[in-house]
Amino acid sequence: MALSRRTFSALAGSTALGFALGGSGGPGAPAAYAARTVPTGPAPAAPGADGRRHAIGHDQYSLVVDGRRLVLWSGELHPFRLPSPSLWRDVLEKMRAHGYNAVSIYVAWNVHSPAPGRFDFTGVRDLDLFLRTAAETGLYVILRPGPYINAEVDAGGFPGWLTATQGSARTTDPTYLGHVDAWLTAVNRIVRRHQFTDGGGTVLLYQIENEYDGHVADPIGPAYMSHLYKKVRADGIDVPLFHNDKGRNGFWIPGSFDTGGETGKWLYGFDGYPAPAQTPPDWGHFGVGGLKGGATASPRTPGFVPEFGGGWFDPWGGVEFGGKGYAESRRTRDAAYERRFYLTNLANGITLHNVYMTYGGTNWGWLPAPVVYTSYDYGAAIDEARNVTAKIAPMHQLGHLLQRVPDFAKLERAADVTVDGLRTYHLTNPDTGAHVYVLRNDGAEKVTSTLRTRERDGGDDIEVTVPAHDARLITTGLSLGRRKLRYATAQPMLTLTAGGQDVALFTGPYGEMAHLVLECPAEPFVQRLDAEAAWVYDQGLLHVTVPLGQGGLTRVLVQRGESDTPLLLLFADDATSVRLFPYDTPSGTLLVYGPALLRHAALDGSSVRLTGDTVGPSGVEVWGPRGISALTWNGRPVRTRVSLTGSLVATSDLAGAPKPALPVLDGWRRRAENPESATAFDDSSWKAADRRTSFSTTPVPDGQPVLFADDYGFHYGDVWYRGRLDGDLEDLESVALAYSSGTQGMLMAWLDGKPLGSHRMPVPDAKTVRQGSWAATAEFRVPRPKRKRDEDEREREKEARREHVLSVLVRRMQHDMDGRSLDTHKVARGLTAVTFEGAAPKVSWRIQGETAPDPVRGPQNNGGLFGERQGWHLPGFADSRWEPVTLPRSDKGMGVTWYRTGFRTTVPDGVDASVGLVLEDDPARAYRVQIFLNGWNLGQYINDVGPQHTFVLPNGILRTRGSNTLALAVLSDGTSEFGPGAVRLELLGSAAGGVPVAQVASPGR
């Protein structure tokens, strides 16, 4: 029923009604290159491998696909950081359901190339499978194969073997280009089968290089970019190409290098990672303009941000987030951050928007660059354990808005509007007349103020409240199907047609009073379907107010009046909005409300078949074409009734997810290793370290051999050195071991089997957090023998042998990246020089690192520990003769000790349980642990550095219904007692549903 005006005023608060006249010209006049040949209209249908030809073009507003405007709302996901191909589908389906229409991926050269000219795209490296899965999910793909990717991975994505090759990387050096061409040939052979242009898949855009600014001012840079462009085109890639400027520099805009005469298929993009404490920058319509203005550097192409911060990485020691890890990244770059910064981008004309990261994943094995530890959670909207976090709400709302409301694909700056206390942006669509206002609060206090809209036919005074460090999107003049929105204080999320009625959804913070005004020249029939709503019709306007979220979803049905088509108005707070999922089928569009996730929807006659996830008990409601009468959820029938709006409503809740019990980790067995430290150890099969020259950027010391590990083919993990010292060491006073490593490298040394000591690189502080290479010299005093007791023994030893053995273990961590094109990935790793004080023995060196790359797990899995070379990390290894022990442990000494146990998990069928391994101990104890699950190297724990204590065990590698083998390789530097301490499994998330998970191949030996 209608409310009295007095009742309405009480519900609506102090919102003022009225208009202020205004124009759409002024400083926001259309750009000189404005193209009006592509009108505003529905976005293209979701993409797929349909076998049809498609056209990809653009103007200054947006991409244009098959004649329709496309706003790209993309999220970054790296398949190599989730080494369980079944789970790729899980994350992709979560992205699609939550509003993304594209996924951006790096293809890491180092993951796929264990040796020059060898490329592996099988198993967890199956790029073809990932691209097929993305197409099946209905997501466009932005492909980024480098050759350099940065990405906080080892050597910036360059393969380990490239660090020891001739030629300068990221230049026109012919040796380097030869390797690059071989890589691109291998990648493009796969990619060209998946291009959207010929319907083979959904690859829409292709990036060459990454944040390349090292040779912009000299001829090398343009020639290098031209080579890559022409190579990619010669390989049959015909989708638009682009590059991502590291900042707002105007580097590599169209026309800045030779493209072989091709025009119109190169896009300029720029990256941005503003911190939460910064004021959101204007990189487009409202900015400084010109080459330094972001999108204005290329006025004929749409605004494109290939990387915009969806979080930030954390270094060893956790200095970025005060030791609190990625939880703090997620807290400081939260949903409010996203609204404030992403809406500013939208106001500035950014219509190609990629969030880096949307799912961060895991730097398993020796994949991470020196600047990061194992977790690459990034504080992303989907966490490392694949849980959707509260940060998803703005992504979900904006993503569906940009796909379902076409006005946002073609916005121009309109007349400036001032709102007290708020930064205000005003845009308009020249085709539809819709107006968009972004109101941003950069202050520390909530602001309530009045927006006076400016439109040709009048205006309104709209009272708005914007919380501190947040933003609001206000729209006027939008078409809600066959009716027109005057204004709404809540943000539109979607409009669609289902079951012969128009549906419009509006969202906002919980408890906020949403006020919507609908133009209704003739009085409509209005039904308040939920008690929270209130409405009044007055002078051709329908006013609706709803306190958001207090009853979950609030429904108001508007019928008759000037239109025979009903309009269903839906109102949701943020938490409710993420449980509303639109889904297009060949038979019509569905809107599903209730579950935690909708994966798929299909219409089979009058039956609706849904698949998805629940976390807790959940209702389900479905709007769809007329005539639907039956519903299944994950293959099971659901009893329903038909609502007044024609929806199917479940009469009972869907079941939530159980929380599976996890086993206690016991039955441990222990074995010490490092036999390499013993004098009698047989190292005859090791490589002789006798080279005299190197392609490394680290100088070779005069008179010494090359000791750099990469020069001998050892690129990942630990490396052992054994030096045979020929000569009298009677007067030897000290040994100085110079070494170079990535962040948190360490060294341990023995002379004739007796410990000399250890050294470790310092924990990064705020000044050194991005330092990728660390060099130090560890000097060890050589103990002098007790003369009286040992005089005769020493004489006998002298007669027996004059040879001594210096054994050194170096945990060199990873290679630096090459962000400035200075070959910094070639800085040496391992020992760099060895000198002696008091004696001058002749030294012959041998070196041993990782064995041949694991054919299943890849080159980043294994290092050079004795246990790794012997297979102690593998599930099939026989450890029955190892010492039985219990944890926690308190051992003493320097070296390497292994612990193994088995456990069995019994997660119920149909439950997606994410499991983590937790390690905890007294932070004063100095040791580190390499974690192996079923032979997979899942990361490194440093007890006294942190901040990471929980390690995600990906399903597929973890057998959730079967037996597992856990092995821990513990390195102790001898400065304190060492563990392991407490080691346990922890449930990180549980959902009923999920995707079928195939076991990742895991051979025993």
Side-chain angles (χ1 to χ4, degrees):
M1 67 177 179
L3 300 177
S4 70
R5 292 183 184 177
R6 178 176 297 176
T7 304
F8 171 77
S9 297
L11 287 170
S14 60
T15 301
L17 306 178
F19 274 94
L21 295 175
S24 58
Y33 303 110
R36 303 188 182 278
T37 56
V38 182
T40 299
D50 58 14
R52 301 173 184 171
R53 292 290 305 175
H54 297 279
I56 308 171
H58 68 268
D59 58 16
Q60 78 270 32
Y61 296 108
S62 72
L63 290 179
V64 178
V65 172
D66 297 333
R68 295 186 177 188
R69 293 197 173 279
L70 174 68
V71 178
L72 212 60
W73 194 247
S74 172
E76 190 84 10
L77 157 67
H78 300 154
F80 54 84
R81 283 187 162 117
L82 183 56
S84 178
S86 299
L87 299 183
W88 298 342
R89 184 179 299 275
D90 174 67
V91 178
L92 290 172
E93 288 181 352
K94 287 171 178 170
M95 290 175 62
R96 185 211 58 78
H98 287 299
Y100 297 89
N101 60 358
V103 58
S104 174
I105 67 166
Y106 277 132
V107 188
W109 187 359
N110 57 359
V111 171
H112 295 277
S113 183
R118 287 178 52 196
F119 304 101
D120 187 349
F121 290 93
T122 64
V124 298
R125 298 162 295 278
D126 194 340
L127 176 61
D128 186 85
L129 173 61
F130 182 89
L131 295 178
R132 292 200 313 270
T133 305
E136 291 164 2
T137 309
L139 292 173
Y140 293 107
V141 176
I142 302 173
L143 194 93
R144 309 206 288 159
Y148 179 79
I149 64 172
N150 200 71
E152 289 78 62
V153 296
D154 182 83
F158 285 152
W161 55 261
L162 193 72
T163 66
T165 61
Q166 188 176 12
S168 297
R170 310 184 78 186
T171 71
T172 54
D173 181 277
T175 301
Y176 169 71
L177 288 183
H179 293 307
V180 166
D181 287 354
W183 163 241
L184 293 176
T185 296
V187 172
N188 293 338
R189 186 180 295 118
I190 297 169
V191 175
R192 67 180 175 230
R193 301 197 299 265
H194 296 273
Q195 296 185 93
F196 186 63
T197 43
D198 62 9
T202 57
V203 175
L204 186 77
L205 302 174
Y206 183 113
Q207 178 180 308
I208 59 174
E209 252 291 344
N210 186 82
E211 297 185 333
Y212 181 59
D213 64 354
H215 297 281
V216 177
D218 60 55
I220 292 175
Y224 175 49
M225 293 293 284
S226 179
H227 176 93
L228 296 177
Y229 190 104
K230 293 174 183 178
K231 166 60 180 172
V232 170
R233 286 289 185 240
D235 285 346
I237 305 301
D238 64 0
V239 300
L241 308 182
F242 73 96
H243 176 267
N244 57 333
D245 192 348
K246 186 182 294 185
R248 278 62 54 202
N249 304 298
F251 295 161
W252 314 121
I253 60 176
S256 58
F257 62 93
D258 178 18
T259 59
E262 183 176 77
T263 60
K265 297 183 74 174
W266 174 257
L267 300 175
Y268 170 72
F270 57 93
D271 294 348
Y273 290 89
Q278 293 178 251
T279 299
D282 291 321
W283 291 333
H285 290 322
F286 295 84
V288 297
L291 289 177
K292 300 292 184 180
T296 59
S298 180
R300 294 181 183 270
T301 60
F304 185 9
V305 182
E307 295 180 27
F308 195 88
W312 190 246
F313 63 80
D314 198 27
W316 285 108
V319 67
E320 283 286 344
F321 302 110
K324 299 177 182 178
Y326 284 115
E328 184 69 1
S329 174
R330 188 169 286 107
R331 187 191 70 81
T332 55
R333 291 164 172 84
D334 59 1
Y337 169 91
E338 292 178 321
R339 278 188 294 267
R340 200 159 61 107
F341 284 78
Y342 300 173
L343 284 174
T344 300
N345 285 351
L346 179 65
N348 276 278
I350 308 301
T351 58
L352 286 80
H353 193 283
N354 180 55
V355 178
Y356 188 107
M357 302 290 296
T358 291
Y359 172 79
T362 304
N363 291 313
W364 59 278
W366 298 106
L367 186 64
V371 295
V372 290
Y373 49 85
T374 297
S375 176
Y376 200 67
D377 177 280
Y378 216 78
I382 303 174
D383 71 18
E384 186 181 2
R386 298 178 292 109
N387 298 305
V388 175
T389 72
K391 284 183 63 168
I392 206 68
M395 306 305 304
H396 182 95
Q397 295 160 2
L398 288 170
H400 287 302
L401 171 73
L402 297 174
Q403 293 181 58
R404 300 282 171 175
V405 182
D407 305 69
F408 288 86
K410 189 177 181 181
L411 292 176
E412 297 175 349
R413 183 175 178 178
D416 289 345
V417 172
T418 301
V419 178
D420 289 344
L422 300 173
R423 174 71 166 98
T424 306
Y425 301 87
H426 179 204
L427 303 106
T428 187
N429 183 297
D431 298 336
T432 67
H435 288 251
V436 173
Y437 301 86
V438 173
L439 309 176
R440 199 180 74 216
N441 182 359
D442 296 326
E445 301 292 334
K446 178 175 68 175
V447 172
T448 297
S449 194
T450 300
L451 164 66
R452 173 162 291 183
T453 64
R454 301 186 64 174
E455 286 132 43
R456 288 187 295 270
D457 57 351
D460 292 281
D461 285 348
I462 306 173
E463 186 179 275
V464 292
T465 297
V466 184
H469 303 299
D470 209 330
R472 289 287 177 268
L473 175 67
I474 303 294
T475 54
T476 67
L478 284 182
S479 293
L480 306 184
R482 291 150 187 85
R483 301 176 194 262
K484 183 75 74 174
L485 175 71
R486 180 69 166 248
Y487 69 82
T489 61
Q491 177 178 304
M493 181 175 128
L494 58 81
T495 62
L496 53 82
T497 300
Q501 66 185 344
D502 296 324
V503 181
L505 170 61
F506 293 82
T507 67
Y510 178 84
E512 183 173 284
M513 184 66 73
H515 181 196
L516 179 145
V517 181
L518 193 67
E519 295 182 0
C520 296
E523 184 171 1
F525 175 64
V526 182
Q527 291 176 281
R528 179 181 61 166
L529 303 178
D530 295 284
E532 294 77 20
W535 63 272
V536 64
Y537 178 74
D538 182 44
Q539 299 181 9
L541 298 176
L542 175 66
H543 298 263
V544 180
T545 57
V546 175
L548 295 174
Q550 293 186 9
L553 183 66
T554 302
R555 308 157 183 82
V556 175
L557 183 61
V558 182
Q559 300 180 84
R560 299 197 288 271
E562 76 281 2
S563 175
D564 292 331
T565 301
L567 170 63
L568 176 62
L569 296 172
L570 302 176
F571 298 88
D573 68 318
D574 290 342
T576 301
S577 73
V578 299
R579 297 191 294 127
L580 281 149
F581 305 98
Y583 200 101
D584 295 321
T585 78
S587 302
T589 300
L590 300 173
L591 180 62
V592 178
Y593 167 56
L597 180 71
L598 177 69
R599 295 186 181 274
H600 294 289
L603 289 172
D604 184 4
S606 61
S607 181
V608 180
R609 292 184 284 109
L610 305 178
T611 61
D613 295 1
T614 58
V615 176
S618 170
V620 62
E621 183 172 6
V622 182
W623 290 270
R626 288 191 178 101
I628 60 173
S629 59
L631 177 65
T632 65
W633 175 256
N634 289 342
R636 297 182 178 179
V638 177
R639 295 185 64 180
T640 61
R641 61 176 176 83
V642 179
S643 75
L644 289 175
T645 62
S647 63
L648 290 181
V649 182
T651 58
S652 60
D653 283 350
L654 306 175
K659 294 185 177 180
L662 299 176
V664 173
L665 297 177
D666 53 16
W668 291 94
R669 291 183 176 273
R670 173 185 181 274
R671 183 175 176 182
E673 59 142 271
N674 47 276
E676 299 95 336
S677 64
T679 305
F681 180 81
D682 182 6
D683 60 16
S684 59
S685 64
W686 290 17
K687 290 186 178 181
D690 54 6
R691 298 188 177 190
R692 294 293 168 176
T693 60
S694 173
F695 295 122
S696 172
T697 56
T698 301
V700 179
D702 291 341
Q704 295 204 32
V706 174
L707 296 176
F708 316 153
D710 288 293
D711 284 70
Y712 298 96
F714 304 121
H715 307 302
Y716 303 108
D718 301 292
V719 62
W720 274 98
Y721 297 85
R722 282 173 56 85
R724 296 188 180 275
L725 282 56
D726 188 8
D728 187 0
L729 301 187
E730 174 73 21
D731 296 320
L732 180 63
E733 296 178 359
S734 65
V735 177
L737 303 173
Y739 73 113
S740 176
S741 77
T743 308
Q744 277 301 284
M746 68 176 295
L747 171 153
M748 294 185 279
W750 294 258
L751 181 60
D752 293 338
K754 297 177 181 179
L756 286 177
S758 63
H759 183 277
R760 58 189 293 181
M761 298 296 182
V763 179
D765 57 22
K767 294 181 179 179
T768 59
V769 66
R770 297 195 185 186
Q771 182 174 324
S773 289
W774 301 68
T777 298
E779 186 168 344
F780 302 112
R781 304 297 297 177
V782 176
R784 302 303 298 268
K786 294 178 182 178
R787 289 193 175 273
K788 282 197 171 203
R789 184 171 64 84
D790 292 343
E791 190 77 31
D792 292 341
E793 183 179 342
R794 287 168 53 229
E795 287 298 324
R796 287 194 297 271
E797 284 184 0
K798 265 179 148 182
E799 292 298 322
R801 61 173 175 82
R802 290 176 57 82
E803 187 177 75
H804 300 265
V805 176
L806 176 62
S807 302
V808 183
L809 173 63
V810 180
R811 173 148 289 187
R812 63 231 171 106
M813 304 302 278
Q814 289 82 28
H815 304 89
D816 196 1
M817 298 182 290
D818 190 25
R820 298 177 61 191
S821 305
L822 297 174
D823 272 353
T824 47
H825 62 292
K826 291 187 174 183
V827 174
R829 291 296 182 259
L831 289 181
T832 55
V834 180
T835 56
F836 303 91
E837 185 73 27
K842 294 181 180 179
V843 187
S844 60
W845 288 99
R846 289 189 178 271
I847 183 172
Q848 176 65 58
E850 74 272 22
T851 55
D854 187 316
V856 173
R857 302 172 183 94
Q860 282 77 29
N861 196 71
N862 290 2
L865 294 179
F866 181 83
E868 292 178 283
R869 305 197 308 270
Q870 297 297 310
W872 292 4
H873 61 299
L874 298 174
F877 182 80
D879 60 7
S880 59
R881 295 186 179 182
W882 287 24
E883 174 193 2
V885 295
T886 58
L887 300 184
R889 293 281 299 182
S890 292
D891 291 332
K892 296 181 179 180
M894 185 182 80
V896 185
T897 307
W898 284 73
Y899 299 82
R900 283 171 56 95
T901 190
F903 64 93
R904 185 176 183 84
T905 50
T906 54
V907 176
D909 192 28
V911 174
D912 179 10
S914 184
V915 178
L917 181 73
V918 179
L919 293 89
E920 294 176 329
D921 204 348
D922 179 352
R925 306 211 304 176
Y927 67 91
R928 57 187 69 193
V929 180
Q930 207 67 30
I931 300 165
F932 295 90
L933 177 69
N934 297 327
W936 288 84
N937 183 343
L938 293 184
Q940 182 178 184
Y941 168 77
I942 305 183
N943 181 67
D944 57 328
V945 174
Q948 185 175 5
H949 288 269
T950 300
F951 295 78
V952 174
L953 309 179
N955 295 346
I957 291 176
L958 174 71
R959 300 183 180 100
T960 56
R961 294 176 61 84
S963 297
N964 298 274
T965 300
L966 178 64
L968 307 178
V970 180
L971 277 71
S972 171
D973 63 12
T975 61
S976 69
E977 289 186 340
F978 66 92
V983 181
R984 69 177 188 274
L985 299 176
E986 184 173 291
L987 186 65
L988 305 179
S990 181
V995 297
V997 177
Q999 185 65 41
V1000 179
S1002 183
R1005 297 284 294 195

